[in-house]
Amino acid sequence: MRRLPRYYSCLCDLQLSGVERISSEELASVMQITSSQVRLDLSHFGNFGQRGYGYNIHQLLISIGNILGIYSDNHLILIGTGKLGRALLRSFPFSRIGFTVDAAFSLSPKIVGAKFAGIPVYPSSMLSDFVRSHQIHVAALTLPSSAAQSTVDELVQQGVTGFWNFTNANLKSDDPRVHFENIRLTDSLLRLNYCVIHPQQEQAARAQKKQKKG
Amino acid sequence: MRRLPRYYSCLCDLQLSGVERISSEELASVMQITSSQVRLDLSHFGNFGQRGYGYNIHQLLISIGNILGIYSDNHLILIGTGKLGRALLRSFPFSRIGFTVDAAFSLSPKIVGAKFAGIPVYPSSMLSDFVRSHQIHVAALTLPSSAAQSTVDELVQQGVTGFWNFTNANLKSDDPRVHFENIRLTDSLLRLNYCVIHPQQEQAARAQKKQKKG
């Protein structure tokens, strides 16, 4: 399952560039995995491949899209309307993957009442009521790290089980249904910079990893 | 090394909230790892912990920051000034981790000449010359996926070894010094949504993973 979103994204790009069908070898090359892994993965949800023909990209996209819930009516809210939150509201193509952003919530009285990309900003005091009455299950967290865990605890009580976490906080919940997807932009750029400024250490670490695998 | 950026981010948050020192147990809880792992990790770069006192957060931040190159003069360029690229220029706190964005590059003649967050936008025809003359080693990629690999190939020839990749493309380079950090926002939200709409499958997968570990 971990690879399904990657398949979906890669196949979307292929379709956009006009490709209609693809062999498991070609798809493996795009996905940077082996072609036997591709065949195994795709066999799990129906038989889309035909020998000598390859996979029909349109059909495959519909099937994977269905499993990923892209054609369902998905809703989310966003909490924290600082620079990052507003950037996300304005720039992320939520609707392309079946999402509607119902509302944003802010601690700042200045911003409450504003709209970003057509999405209204409500005060955080309305958060619990809104989530319960709108049956929201997914929340994007772009608020300060220090407020993240208490907000998670509040939202889990109202039935939110998916958190798209852009904060630095290492969040947790005792509820086994709750899932966190962490986007760590700062960590990622720091890691990249480390590799650039310490090329020898990084190469040695990669070689060691390869050896362990082999 | 993988954990160093995470330590850095967590310690920054702790310092911001006024904490001056921390025990390995407390730091382990924040990092969601074991305290013996914390002690082992931090012993690798000097002896910061004192029995019964814990770690001095300020000292630790300086040491980790040094290894991560935060106090160096780091430069990057950004390629692709669509919604995402502009959002990143406007909202990401580059300077907080020692980065200066020297320039952005665009394929669109309409945007060339503009400035976003004070950063000038140049035509992509100037890319190679700029990178070479300014000795740029890091590039953020926010351009269309279809143009990403050819841009990487061009930039690697000019000495870029670090790519902060926001495109869908699975990028590669034959040069072993080249490193990619991929930010897959769409994949991440799709994965989260899958877990929310298929809670049973996700819990079974987690249980299986735990069993394998144990």
Side-chain angles (χ1 to χ4, degrees):
Chain A
M1 183 277 137
R2 288 265 121 193
R3 275 187 295 276
L4 272 191
R6 198 87 280 273
Y7 276 111
Y8 188 83
S9 297
C10 290
L11 289 164
C12 276
D13 273 357
L14 287 163
Q15 193 178 45
L16 268 177
S17 52
V19 183
E20 286 179 11
R21 58 197 204 198
I22 191 166
S23 68
S24 51
E25 287 77 16
E26 289 165 317
L27 188 50
S29 157
V30 172
M31 289 280 295
Q32 298 183 354
I33 55 178
T34 67
S35 57
S36 54
Q37 185 69 62
V38 166
R39 283 188 295 268
L40 181 66
D41 284 347
L42 300 189
S43 71
H44 283 160
F45 41 93
N47 191 6
F48 301 104
Q50 273 180 268
R51 196 172 288 272
Y53 172 92
Y55 297 97
N56 178 309
I57 289 183
H58 179 68
Q59 276 177 18
L60 206 48
L61 270 175
I62 291 179
S63 302
I64 298 179
N66 261 322
I67 300 171
L68 294 174
I70 283 164
Y71 311 113
S72 315
D73 190 21
N74 307 307
H75 293 260
L76 65 75
I77 54 165
L78 179 138
I79 304 161
T81 50
K83 275 187 180 182
L84 176 65
R86 298 200 299 259
L88 207 62
L89 290 177
R90 284 173 175 148
S91 72
F92 188 77
F94 289 100
S95 63
R96 214 185 284 163
I97 51 172
F99 269 95
T100 306
V101 185
D102 284 352
F105 291 84
S106 172
L107 278 171
S108 160
K110 273 189 204 162
I111 289 175
V112 166
K115 279 191 177 192
F116 299 112
I119 295 148
V121 181
Y122 298 129
S124 51
S125 56
M126 284 174 61
L127 188 55
S128 281
D129 280 348
F130 188 95
V131 164
R132 203 175 38 241
S133 62
H134 287 71
Q135 298 189 21
I136 300 288
H137 301 297
V138 178
L141 302 176
T142 49
L143 72 173
S145 300
S146 53
Q149 184 63 57
S150 59
T151 303
V152 166
D153 296 340
E154 179 185 346
L155 291 177
V156 168
Q157 286 211 324
Q158 308 304 334
V160 175
T161 55
F163 292 93
W164 204 23
N165 175 31
F166 286 78
T167 80
N168 256 335
N170 289 314
L171 302 169
K172 51 191 167 187
S173 168
D174 293 334
D175 190 326
R177 296 167 307 168
V178 173
H179 190 85
F180 299 96
E181 274 288 328
N182 300 309
I183 303 285
R184 314 274 200 206
L185 295 180
T186 299
D187 291 14
S188 165
L189 185 53
L190 286 176
R191 204 154 45 227
L192 184 64
N193 197 43
Y194 176 89
C195 297
V196 168
I197 60 179
H198 302 283
Q200 278 114 11
Q201 278 95 319
E202 178 52 21
Q203 277 175 54
R206 275 198 225 178
Q208 212 178 16
K209 213 172 161 187
K210 225 174 178 176
Q211 219 173 22
K212 264 189 195 167
K213 267 192 187 170
Chain B
M1 182 275 138
R2 287 266 120 194
R3 274 188 296 274
L4 272 191
R6 199 86 282 273
Y7 277 111
Y8 188 82
S9 297
C10 290
L11 290 165
C12 276
D13 272 357
L14 287 164
Q15 193 177 45
L16 269 176
S17 51
V19 183
E20 286 179 12
R21 57 196 206 199
I22 192 167
S23 68
S24 50
E25 287 77 17
E26 290 165 318
L27 187 51
S29 158
V30 172
M31 289 280 296
Q32 297 183 355
I33 55 179
T34 64
S35 57
S36 53
Q37 186 70 65
V38 167
R39 282 188 295 266
L40 182 66
D41 284 347
L42 299 189
S43 71
H44 283 160
F45 41 94
N47 192 8
F48 300 105
Q50 273 179 269
R51 197 173 287 272
Y53 174 91
Y55 298 97
N56 178 310
I57 290 184
H58 179 69
Q59 276 177 18
L60 207 48
L61 271 175
I62 291 179
S63 302
I64 298 178
N66 259 323
I67 300 171
L68 294 173
I70 282 164
Y71 311 111
S72 316
D73 188 23
N74 306 307
H75 293 261
L76 64 76
I77 55 164
L78 179 139
I79 304 161
T81 50
K83 274 187 181 181
L84 176 65
R86 296 199 300 259
L88 207 61
L89 290 177
R90 283 171 176 150
S91 72
F92 188 77
F94 288 101
S95 61
R96 215 185 285 163
I97 50 170
F99 268 96
T100 305
V101 185
D102 284 353
F105 291 85
S106 172
L107 278 171
S108 160
K110 272 189 206 162
I111 289 175
V112 166
K115 279 191 176 191
F116 299 111
I119 295 148
V121 181
Y122 299 128
S124 52
S125 56
M126 282 173 61
L127 188 54
S128 281
D129 279 348
F130 188 95
V131 165
R132 202 174 38 240
S133 61
H134 287 71
Q135 299 190 21
I136 300 287
H137 302 297
V138 177
L141 302 177
T142 50
L143 73 174
S145 299
S146 53
Q149 185 63 57
S150 59
T151 303
V152 165
D153 296 341
E154 180 186 345
L155 291 178
V156 168
Q157 287 210 324
Q158 308 305 334
V160 176
T161 55
F163 292 94
W164 204 23
N165 175 31
F166 285 78
T167 81
N168 256 335
N170 288 314
L171 301 169
K172 52 191 164 188
S173 168
D174 293 334
D175 190 325
R177 293 167 307 168
V178 173
H179 189 85
F180 299 97
E181 273 290 326
N182 300 309
I183 303 285
R184 314 274 200 206
L185 294 180
T186 300
D187 291 13
S188 166
L189 185 53
L190 287 175
R191 204 155 44 228
L192 184 64
N193 197 41
Y194 176 90
C195 297
V196 168
I197 61 180
H198 303 282
Q200 278 114 12
Q201 278 97 317
E202 178 53 22
Q203 277 175 55
R206 274 198 229 179
Q208 213 177 14
K209 213 172 162 187
K210 224 174 177 176
Q211 218 170 25
K212 265 189 195 167
K213 267 192 189 171

